[in-house]
Amino acid sequence: PWVLGGVGTLLYQLDVLQDYGTAALSGGLMLAAATVIQGMAWEARRRSASAQNIPVRNNLADEDVWEFASCAGAETVKFLIPGKKYVANIIGHSILAGVLCALGTWYLLPNRLTLLYSSHVGASVTLFVFGWLTVCIGEYSLIINTPAETATFQVLDTYEITALMRPF
């Protein structure tokens, strides 16, 4: 998201696009990236075996060791991008990821932040960096999967709504 928003921000700073065009471009790029990533996860799930041997892991081990057959195999993609359970979540979360990136780009434009904070460059840069970090954390939850939360019982989240609680 930071790279895609950075493309829009750079085009805005060079006076190639207006602020709404920048937001639309960044949001569209994020929508396309989210769709491609979820499509890869969907294809990996389709290609992998439906019945798999579940290894017994020692929960007290310092590190987990994962062995993969290939670098771009279905098991590797399925491990890195777990994917969503329902097609409606794939579509809905991808659209929300595009909207989040568009609004983040629109709000975090450097000229807008400088006008908000009366030309204090330090405050603008700090808000820009931490704002994009926050957008990236929210995008991760929408596109890939929510990180494990200690306060959420993961088994009860059958419809994957915890992904919506982090970015919004």
Side-chain angles (χ1 to χ4, degrees):
W2 203 333
V3 173
L4 301 177
V7 169
T9 302
L10 180 65
L11 291 176
Y12 175 76
Q13 291 299 109
L14 295 174
D15 288 330
V16 176
L17 292 173
Q18 296 297 322
D19 56 353
Y20 55 86
T22 300
L25 175 71
S26 297
L29 289 174
M30 192 71 240
L31 175 65
T35 305
V36 167
I37 290 171
Q38 283 299 321
M40 285 177 14
W42 184 267
E43 184 66 21
R45 186 178 354 160
R46 191 182 67 78
R47 285 185 181 207
S48 65
S50 59
Q52 296 179 355
N53 185 13
I54 300 173
V56 176
R57 299 185 336 195
N58 182 3
N59 290 336
L60 300 176
D62 289 335
E63 296 180 10
D64 289 332
V65 178
W66 297 92
E67 293 185 18
F68 300 108
S70 69
C71 183
E75 299 86 15
T76 308
V77 173
K78 195 172 175 182
F79 175 75
L80 293 175
I81 309 167
K84 308 286 181 185
K85 294 178 188 175
Y86 304 109
V87 177
N89 285 348
I90 293 172
I91 295 168
H93 291 180
S94 296
I95 290 171
L96 286 175
V99 169
L100 179 65
C101 188
L103 291 175
T105 302
W106 180 76
Y107 181 75
L108 294 172
L109 289 172
N111 288 349
R112 186 176 313 278
L113 294 177
T114 305
L115 289 174
L116 270 173
Y117 292 101
S118 303
S119 302
H120 293 313
V121 177
S124 298
V125 169
T126 303
L127 188 62
F128 181 79
V129 169
F130 286 114
W132 272 110
L133 184 66
T134 304
V135 169
C136 289
I137 290 169
E139 293 283 353
Y140 178 81
S141 295
L142 285 173
I143 297 171
I144 304 295
N145 202 359
T146 55
E149 300 271 352
T150 56
T152 305
F153 190 53
Q154 297 291 330
V155 178
L156 294 178
D157 188 27
T158 55
Y159 298 111
E160 298 172 330
I161 16 180
T162 55
L164 302 176
M165 293 179 189
R166 184 171 293 271
F168 297 105

